[in-house]
Amino acid sequence: MRIFFCCCLLFLMSCTSAPVGEELPNIQIARDIWGVPHIMAKTDAEVAYGLAWAECEDQFTTLQELMAACKGMLGEIKGKEGLVADFGVKFMGLQEVVQQKYEQDVTGKFKVYLESFVAGVNAYAALHPEEVLLDALFPITGQDVIVGYLLGNVEVSGAGKDLAKILDGKMSSYLQSDAPKGSNAFAISKTKTTDDKTYLAINSHQPLEGWYSWYEAHLISEEGMNILGGTFAGGICIFHGVNENLAWAHTVNHADFSDVYQLTMHPTKENYYQFDGEWIPLKEKKYRSWLKVLGPIKILITRTIYESKYGPTFKTDNGYFSWRFVVSQSIKMSEQWYQMNKARNFKEFKEAINLRGIACLNFVYADKDDNIYYLSNGSLPVRNPKYNWQGVLPGNTSETLWDHTLIPIDSLPQVLNPKSGWVFNTNNTPYSATDSLSNFKETTLNKTMGYQSKGLENNRSSRFLELISQYDSLSYADFKRIKYDNQYPSKMMTPKAINLEELMHLDTTKYPDIAEGIRLLTNWNRKSDVENTTAALFILTWMHIDKIRKSEDRVVRGGTITAEDCVLGIRRASEEMKRKFGALEVPLKEVQRLIRGDLNLPMAGAPDVLAAIYSKEHTDGTYKAFAGESYIELVRFGKDGVEIESINTYGSSEKPSSAHFTSEMSSFATQKLKQMTLNKEEVLRTAVRIYSPMKVKK
């Protein structure tokens, strides 16, 4: 069958006439007025096929680029930039990990589901050869998809930063994305709401476009699947969202998901390292990828790394270093998400979590039974406590070589149904997830887990704690006001307890050339709405401070922000504001914009406020939002069922010709949400278009 399909695919791609396909009437895709696909079928596997088809209709270029990186072929599409990604994936050994584990670990109904998704992608490629970026990319396999999941988990876990450090920055453009990896989530029990309902805010802060931007979908099968939420291109199910019984959100957490080891090398025997008193040869590994040079011309590039007992190993000017990361220890993450999609209650949700496939990420959960739950999830290995796991480890002993034994879930930071009636996370310390009396207590075990210690908040967590303390009970309007809050807390801070409050209290008499800017920032109300006339100055000042610290390598090392940094930041921001906009006091809407295609809208928000927005300089001199607030889903469970509102940044399609390239932009920019439903009959009644995907006709 596989041989037949490959031949069919190659034949179709070489044809000048229209490819031949036939409908799959058992699968229906209902598009609503926003373009969101609601995919309905009898079986889960058929739903997976329909989801693949819808993703390809809307996000085929992004999906292909991700799959190309997973297969080591992106250099043939994007040249040098793609080649860096190709070697990054290969150096991590992700393809080999999946190849070794696939047949044993991907089984049963889930395997049928996964491979049905793959069949949907391959059929779309075969029937739309004009959209295929690289013929050799297809057919993709289930293994390729799982490599994509591993790659995404490496990205959000921060493990790639360790690899980038080993390689001395040579791969930093790929392994250390400049997009912040954040998110907010909070759940409120009906004991603290005025309408006797349980609330959940799913509020991801991700890149607004690209591999890890959100795609909204609704999956319905007659086998018990009915879930609406966000996934990524290449995602086979919903990553976080809501079904009829429960809902959950993810935020990025920060623990020790990766370790670096310095090897002790033999003084005379090349590529031999010491391990438990013996000298062992490194295994040499050569990787090859094609680099697109000009048009159809490409050249073969070869790179060599090594492998030790610890994992991928690299020769540098400072010696040999090995890298070991928890993401590579399991390929069950996609199956775990599938089981979470299908969970009907808290017990089944916990059973899905116990698969331990998702290597990192916080969970904030709520359900129709009024359970609220926070877990700082991590597939963290049992490590020897006598070593400093935050530094470079000795690579000559089995005492630092951890195995597959994981710290039990019950030992991870978590809170279930606290008396306060709320749990939250904004990427802050997991030991601050609710009121101070109900928080999980930090233990000495954290020395090997590496979570942020108690007291390490960020601006978003500090502001959330300020706001939630004002309410004995919340209305839904209060809940939305907290979610969309764009004000900094009374004491400004950034991650790792860096002092940003210094910026707000400089002495004008010491710095007369920037006295106007200092006065504006000192008297600023700390809000970032579109009409605010000081927010732009603050945002640009923060950007310039970041540039200064990055140039001196003080961001990575967590150095404090000094008064001198603040002075220089204000000076450079003031110069830029006057040069571009003619004044220091300018409404934020004139500086920060949400831009796609021909649509250019004012954009509120700032870095690390609850309604966070991160922006970059645009070609016209303004600043274009590129990350932060993205997919938003607000959920309420009550006696009458579940109520859902959501919004995505742009729309369902990445194709400029589509009506849904920008169909949600205006609502997103003005903080308006759309009503959504899990009711199949209502979806069909209100759908703009209902159709079936295709398969290659035999």
Side-chain angles (χ1 to χ4, degrees), residues 3 149-150 202 234 348 407 433 465-466 571 632:
I3 295 172
Y149 273 77
L150 293 179
I202 301 170
E348 291 184 3
I407 292 172
L465 291 169
E466 286 180 355
R571 183 172 290 131
I632 299 165

Side-chain angles (χ1 to χ4, degrees), residues 436-460:
S436 58
L437 296 178
S438 302
N439 277 316
F440 195 82
K441 301 297 187 286
E442 185 174 7
T443 68
T444 56
L445 185 59
N446 196 34
K447 292 180 180 179
T448 67
M449 295 193 299
Y451 287 107
Q452 310 111 295
S453 291
K454 180 180 177 181
L456 288 182
E457 305 289 352
N458 53 38
N459 284 315
R460 286 172 289 127

Side-chain angles (χ1 to χ4, degrees), residues 495-508:
K496 300 182 182 178
I498 293 168
N499 181 23
L500 195 58
E501 187 66 23
E502 183 85 27
L503 185 67
M504 320 305 283
H505 303 288
L506 294 174
D507 185 348
T508 57

Side-chain angles (χ1 to χ4, degrees), residues 171-201:
M171 298 179 63
S172 60
S173 61
Y174 166 66
L175 293 168
Q176 298 188 75
S177 168
D178 60 356
K181 292 176 279 293
S183 299
N184 301 332
F186 45 99
I188 314 292
S189 165
K190 66 181 182 181
T191 62
K192 198 176 173 67
T193 63
T194 59
D195 57 4
D196 198 36
K197 295 179 180 179
T198 307
Y199 302 165
L200 177 68

Side-chain angles (χ1 to χ4, degrees), residues 350-404:
K350 286 292 294 289
E351 288 172 355
I353 290 175
N354 277 314
L355 282 176
R356 309 300 296 270
I358 300 174
C360 57
L361 297 174
N362 294 298
F363 294 82
V364 177
Y365 167 98
D367 65 28
K368 68 179 183 180
D369 298 319
D370 198 39
N371 292 303
I372 60 172
Y373 178 59
Y374 165 73
L375 170 68
S376 193
N377 173 67
S379 297
L380 295 166
V382 174
R383 295 175 167 112
N384 189 326
K386 74 185 249 187
Y387 291 94
N388 175 19
W389 293 92
Q390 309 307 309
V392 177
L393 294 151
N396 60 2
T397 172
S398 56
E399 290 189 349
T400 58
L401 180 63
W402 44 261
D403 59 20
H404 303 300

Side-chain angles (χ1 to χ4, degrees), residues 107 155 169 276 279 340 443 571 654:
T107 60
E155 169 73 11
D276 283 350
W279 294 102
M340 288 160 58
T443 68
R571 183 172 290 131
E654 67 182 6

Side-chain angles (χ1 to χ4, degrees), residues 132-402:
V132 170
L133 301 178
L134 182 69
D135 291 352
L137 180 60
F138 294 96
I140 67 165
T141 68
Q143 294 187 26
D144 299 328
V145 171
I146 291 181
V147 170
Y149 273 77
L150 293 179
L151 179 60
N153 238 210
V154 170
E155 169 73 11
V156 298
S157 72
K161 292 180 180 179
D162 278 342
L163 178 54
K165 290 175 187 176
I166 293 173
L167 298 175
D168 198 26
K170 293 175 184 177
M171 298 179 63
S172 60
S173 61
Y174 166 66
L175 293 168
Q176 298 188 75
S177 168
D178 60 356
K181 292 176 279 293
S183 299
N184 301 332
F186 45 99
I188 314 292
S189 165
K190 66 181 182 181
T191 62
K192 198 176 173 67
T193 63
T194 59
D195 57 4
D196 198 36
K197 295 179 180 179
T198 307
Y199 302 165
L200 177 68
I202 301 170
N203 183 203
S204 174
H205 295 171
Q206 284 287 114
L208 304 187
E209 297 181 274
W211 291 3
Y212 303 120
S213 60
W214 288 105
Y215 181 76
E216 186 175 27
H218 180 194
L219 313 181
I220 311 173
S221 81
E222 295 178 21
E223 294 183 326
M225 179 178 281
N226 187 5
I227 186 163
L228 169 71
T231 186
F232 299 150
I236 66 173
C237 55
I238 299 303
F239 291 162
H240 58 188
V242 56
N243 65 30
E244 294 162 309
N245 305 295
L246 55 85
W248 75 93
H250 285 306
T251 64
V252 172
N253 57 354
H254 303 286
D256 190 354
F257 299 114
S258 173
D259 291 314
V260 175
Y261 305 81
Q262 183 162 20
L263 303 185
T264 301
M265 305 305 296
H266 195 282
T268 58
K269 296 179 71 173
E270 187 175 6
N271 294 336
Y272 274 72
Y273 69 103
Q274 189 180 54
F275 186 81
D276 283 350
E278 297 183 13
W279 294 102
I280 302 172
L282 289 170
K283 180 180 178 182
E284 185 173 286
K285 305 181 82 169
K286 289 187 180 294
Y287 293 111
R288 298 173 177 82
S289 280
W290 289 97
L291 171 65
K292 177 182 176 181
V293 180
L294 182 65
I297 300 174
K298 57 186 180 181
I299 57 175
L300 187 64
I301 306 295
T302 301
R303 293 287 184 269
T304 299
I305 68 166
Y306 302 91
E307 184 175 326
S308 72
K309 287 180 176 289
Y310 298 98
T313 301
F314 306 88
K315 181 180 180 180
T316 76
D317 293 340
N318 297 314
Y320 286 74
F321 292 88
S322 292
W323 179 53
R324 191 168 183 79
F325 56 110
V326 301
V327 172
S328 66
Q329 304 304 304
S330 172
I331 65 169
K332 288 279 190 179
M333 64 189 65
S334 52
E335 182 175 358
Q336 180 175 329
W337 265 305
Y338 171 68
Q339 297 296 348
M340 288 160 58
N341 279 215
K342 299 269 289 181
R344 294 169 295 179
N345 50 50
F346 184 58
K347 179 178 180 291
E348 291 184 3
F349 190 79
K350 286 292 294 289
E351 288 172 355
I353 290 175
N354 277 314
L355 282 176
R356 309 300 296 270
I358 300 174
C360 57
L361 297 174
N362 294 298
F363 294 82
V364 177
Y365 167 98
D367 65 28
K368 68 179 183 180
D369 298 319
D370 198 39
N371 292 303
I372 60 172
Y373 178 59
Y374 165 73
L375 170 68
S376 193
N377 173 67
S379 297
L380 295 166
V382 174
R383 295 175 167 112
N384 189 326
K386 74 185 249 187
Y387 291 94
N388 175 19
W389 293 92
Q390 309 307 309
V392 177
L393 294 151
N396 60 2
T397 172
S398 56
E399 290 189 349
T400 58
L401 180 63
W402 44 261

